[in-house]
Amino acid sequence: MSRICELTGKGRQTGHNVSHANNKTKRVFLPNLQNVTLLSEKLDRGFKFRVSTHGLRSVERNGGLDNWLLKTKDEKLSANALKVKRELKKALKTAEAA
């Protein structure tokens, strides 16, 4: 399973372990991913995502899952998140029409 946040697109980074003697060896920095269920206020249901803790804080700061999905570009989102975004836009259109 790839180590990529479904909402922010944050993935692994590479770098070096640096010893006291300044020897450098390759290493990988992995994002802190958590399995969470985020609730959509407009759709009245929860959605399971694999999100980094940084992404989770960003979602909360933007006022919840609905606001986050509407503000975020499609390129950053996973296929699962894009599906939820389409459902959300559809629900908003039907609410406006009524």
Side-chain angles (χ1 to χ4, degrees):
M1 182 180 282
S2 65
R3 303 278 293 177
I4 295 175
C5 175
E6 291 189 57
L7 297 180
T8 61
K10 187 176 192 133
R12 61 183 235 160
Q13 294 181 321
T14 58
H16 289 100
N17 280 332
V18 181
S19 69
H20 184 68
N22 207 26
N23 297 328
K24 294 172 184 72
T25 56
K26 292 268 188 190
R27 65 155 295 176
V28 175
F29 297 93
L30 296 174
N32 183 9
L33 295 179
Q34 305 294 322
N35 292 317
V36 294
T37 301
L38 297 172
L39 299 175
S40 171
E41 295 171 0
K42 305 274 193 285
L43 300 174
D44 290 328
R45 54 184 274 226
F47 296 96
K48 288 188 178 187
F49 292 107
R50 195 156 188 236
V51 183
S52 65
T53 53
H54 171 77
L56 197 54
R57 290 180 63 204
S58 298
V59 168
E60 291 300 317
R61 188 172 58 244
N62 279 299
L65 180 64
D66 297 341
N67 289 341
W68 172 262
L69 289 174
L70 293 174
K71 288 181 181 180
T72 307
K73 295 179 183 175
D74 291 349
E75 295 84 44
K76 281 190 173 185
L77 299 173
S78 68
N80 187 22
L82 280 173
K83 190 169 119 181
V84 175
K85 185 175 181 177
R86 280 193 295 272
E87 277 184 51
L88 183 62
K89 283 185 177 180
K90 191 175 184 181
L92 288 173
K93 278 188 179 179
T94 56
E96 288 176 7

